[in-house]
Amino acid sequence: MRRKYKLTISFDGTDYHGWQRQQNGITVQEIMEDVMEKITGVPTPVTGCSRTDAGVHAETFVCSFFADTTIPAEKLPFVLNTLLPPDIRARGCAVAPDDFNARFDAVRKTYKYQILNAPFGDPLLRRYAWHYPVRLDFGKMEKACAVIRGERDFRCFMAAGSVVKNTVRNLSELRAEKAGDLITVTATSNGFLYNMVRIIVGTLVYIGNGKLSLDCLAELLTAGDRRLLGITAPPQGLRLCSVEYEL
Amino acid sequence: MRRKYKLTISFDGTDYHGWQRQQNGITVQEIMEDVMEKITGVPTPVTGCSRTDAGVHAETFVCSFFADTTIPAEKLPFVLNTLLPPDIRARGCAVAPDDFNARFDAVRKTYKYQILNAPFGDPLLRRYAWHYPVRLDFGKMEKACAVIRGERDFRCFMAAGSVVKNTVRNLSELRAEKAGDLITVTATSNGFLYNMVRIIVGTLVYIGNGKLSLDCLAELLTAGDRRLLGITAPPQGLRLCSVEYEL
């Protein structure tokens, strides 16, 4: 019987060109669709909860698809894991309402970004953190989080060239934590613009290294010009941690 | 002027055949010696604090070598890092006494071993933890640590075929900690036999899954037969964390 499934996976994005299928490189979506086709025998379009960029990771990433299979939903992750490469793992599956859509039904997502703020890089973190050798003022970065978070127009934190009409988002959580040399930025929102977390992190680093003042930041948030804010932080530090649905 | 140097590095062992130079694959020692030869212009034998196995990592690994260079010791890590691959990083360097030997002068080492005890693997930990899907009794593993630690003959925790005369070691610390699904075993000793930590971890897992009882373990420690204990845990969960010298 043809049913809609909600599947949770994790992946290490290092060797993928992001989620969304494309001509120029292998993507997580392509792998998932190929494996589902092997299982069901027919082409199986898989919808992902977000278009993650090349090199970005996911602790939790939710997919939805229609499939006709006799494999019980709770067994599907075990079957998938025998076919998936080790850098993608299925972790949970359930039958969902026919109209469930992993992307459009997501009401909240949480991302984390790791910055290693130390003179020397750490080989064991190089795939999962941005190594930033110049000392950052963590106190200022914490204050900047308080300035940025909230419901507002986040146009200035959107990659140039992106075409989205409504750029108002509710960034309900934005906080920085420090453990030894590792700074972790956590961001929760009802929706993220293209590159939004990475531009926020790049801006926090500009605050931390003194290139941007807190007063300036407050003004620029209103001005809404991407070019006046920090650089886009590199992808490997970013991971999608949770996706929430109202069900 | 020719001087002895003490250099601290970190490496991700995934893509190396361990520390020690060999015919069959690339090793960390080979990379370090090649890079030092590039810097000094002459062959530079580098001594490592231990022979780590293929796939084992190091947060801290100490090397010693003679070199004649005008680069100040504290600058050497920066120069090395421009020449080393990203999975090996130099982190500190100092001039040492001429008779300093990174291997024989080490008085204590600490290793950590990570076990992911969850039904599904985690792609972000697959290079750094042993995924063990069967539920482990953590309380029993903690008790087993108390049985194993201390000064004793560790012959039964040495890989078969190993030829070492004195197999008495002081395992001053052996403890297991649990955070969510991740179990971390920490072992500190004045010396480790070949595969000792990995056999201890394999034995702790046998205790945790019920294949071996605590009573049996106590007896086997005295019997001293490797074949009666647990399997050798896979290398990727292991990392050398610190090396101490009396200086």
Side-chain angles (χ1 to χ4, degrees):
Chain A
M1 194 183 137
R2 192 166 175 269
R3 281 176 153 163
K4 178 67 71 78
Y5 290 88
K6 177 188 176 188
L7 173 75
T8 305
I9 63 172
S10 306
F11 58 83
D12 179 325
T14 308
D15 298 327
Y16 295 100
H17 287 237
W19 163 261
Q20 188 163 284
R21 196 182 265 273
Q22 55 164 271
Q23 295 294 330
N24 303 323
I26 196 152
T27 66
V28 180
Q29 186 179 37
E30 184 182 335
I31 301 270
M32 292 309 299
E33 293 184 341
D34 289 356
V35 167
M36 282 311 302
E37 183 169 345
K38 271 189 195 153
I39 291 175
T40 61
V42 294
T44 305
V46 178
T47 302
C49 60
S50 84
R51 296 172 55 168
T52 58
D53 294 330
V56 171
H57 316 290
E59 290 179 8
T60 299
F61 187 100
V62 177
C63 316
S64 56
F65 53 85
F66 274 111
D68 188 350
T69 169
T70 54
I71 303 167
E74 70 275 16
K75 299 284 181 206
L76 198 55
F78 293 96
V79 178
L80 281 164
N81 286 338
T82 63
L83 300 167
L84 287 168
D87 52 4
I88 306 177
R89 292 288 91 180
R91 301 172 67 139
C93 187
V95 172
D98 272 5
D99 61 352
F100 173 70
N101 182 299
R103 182 166 179 195
F104 296 115
D105 290 347
V107 293
R108 216 171 292 107
K109 285 178 204 149
T110 296
Y111 284 92
K112 282 187 195 284
Y113 195 101
Q114 293 190 319
I115 304 165
L116 177 65
N117 190 213
F120 301 109
D122 180 342
L124 301 173
L125 282 175
R126 76 190 192 289
R127 295 159 69 102
Y128 310 113
W130 179 17
H131 174 222
Y132 195 85
V134 177
R135 205 74 204 149
L136 295 169
D137 183 330
F138 179 70
K140 281 190 185 161
M141 293 172 73
E142 277 188 304
K143 281 181 192 141
C145 285
V147 172
I148 297 170
R149 75 173 158 244
E151 183 159 13
R152 63 168 75 247
D153 189 335
F154 279 96
R155 209 176 346 145
C156 53
F157 290 104
M158 182 169 69
S162 194
V163 231
V164 177
K165 276 182 200 156
N166 181 1
T167 49
V168 173
R169 295 292 183 273
N170 182 11
L171 186 63
S172 49
E173 176 69 282
L174 180 67
R175 66 171 192 279
E177 286 155 306
K178 196 172 188 332
D181 291 332
L182 200 66
I183 296 173
T184 304
V185 177
T186 304
T188 301
S189 176
N190 58 347
F192 289 91
L193 302 168
Y194 187 49
N195 276 354
M196 180 167 147
V197 183
R198 289 166 59 190
I199 299 170
I200 287 175
V201 169
T203 302
L204 290 176
V205 163
Y206 267 34
I207 293 284
N209 67 19
K211 283 191 187 167
L212 196 63
S213 72
L214 284 163
D215 288 346
C216 249
L217 173 66
E219 278 179 42
L220 291 177
L221 284 181
T222 319
D225 189 334
R226 164 72 191 98
R227 292 166 298 179
L228 301 173
L229 290 168
I231 56 167
T232 302
Q236 78 276 8
L238 187 62
R239 57 177 70 191
L240 176 56
C241 291
S242 71
V243 192
E244 292 168 64
Y245 295 92
E246 263 174 26
L247 270 183
Chain B
M1 195 183 135
R2 193 165 172 267
R3 282 176 152 162
K4 178 64 73 76
Y5 290 89
K6 178 188 176 189
L7 174 76
T8 304
I9 63 172
S10 305
F11 58 83
D12 179 326
T14 307
D15 299 327
Y16 295 98
H17 287 240
W19 163 260
Q20 189 163 284
R21 195 182 265 273
Q22 55 165 268
Q23 295 294 331
N24 304 323
I26 196 153
T27 65
V28 180
Q29 185 179 36
E30 185 183 334
I31 301 270
M32 292 308 300
E33 293 183 342
D34 288 357
V35 167
M36 281 311 303
E37 183 169 344
K38 270 189 198 155
I39 291 175
T40 61
V42 294
T44 305
V46 177
T47 302
C49 61
S50 83
R51 295 172 53 168
T52 58
D53 293 331
V56 171
H57 315 290
E59 290 178 8
T60 299
F61 187 100
V62 178
C63 316
S64 56
F65 53 85
F66 275 111
D68 188 351
T69 168
T70 55
I71 303 166
E74 69 274 16
K75 299 286 181 205
L76 198 56
F78 294 95
V79 178
L80 281 163
N81 286 337
T82 63
L83 299 167
L84 287 167
D87 52 6
I88 306 178
R89 291 287 92 181
R91 301 172 67 141
C93 187
V95 171
D98 272 6
D99 61 352
F100 173 71
N101 182 299
R103 182 165 179 197
F104 297 115
D105 291 347
V107 293
R108 216 173 290 108
K109 285 179 203 147
T110 296
Y111 284 92
K112 282 186 194 284
Y113 194 100
Q114 292 190 318
I115 303 164
L116 177 66
N117 190 212
F120 301 110
D122 180 342
L124 301 173
L125 282 176
R126 77 191 190 291
R127 295 160 68 101
Y128 309 112
W130 179 17
H131 174 223
Y132 194 86
V134 177
R135 203 76 204 147
L136 295 169
D137 184 329
F138 179 70
K140 281 190 186 160
M141 293 171 74
E142 276 188 305
K143 282 181 191 141
C145 285
V147 172
I148 298 170
R149 74 173 158 244
E151 184 158 14
R152 65 169 74 248
D153 188 336
F154 279 96
R155 208 175 348 144
C156 54
F157 290 105
M158 181 170 70
S162 195
V163 230
V164 177
K165 278 182 199 157
N166 181 1
T167 50
V168 173
R169 295 292 183 273
N170 182 11
L171 187 64
S172 50
E173 176 70 283
L174 180 67
R175 65 171 194 278
E177 288 157 303
K178 198 174 186 333
D181 292 331
L182 200 66
I183 296 172
T184 304
V185 177
T186 304
T188 302
S189 177
N190 57 347
F192 288 92
L193 302 168
Y194 186 49
N195 276 355
M196 180 167 149
V197 182
R198 289 166 58 189
I199 299 170
I200 288 176
V201 169
T203 301
L204 291 175
V205 163
Y206 267 34
I207 293 283
N209 68 18
K211 283 191 186 165
L212 195 62
S213 73
L214 284 163
D215 288 346
C216 250
L217 172 65
E219 278 179 43
L220 292 176
L221 284 183
T222 319
D225 189 336
R226 163 73 191 95
R227 292 165 300 178
L228 301 172
L229 290 167
I231 55 166
T232 302
Q236 78 276 8
L238 187 62
R239 59 176 69 191
L240 177 56
C241 291
S242 70
V243 192
E244 292 167 64
Y245 295 92
E246 263 174 24
L247 270 184

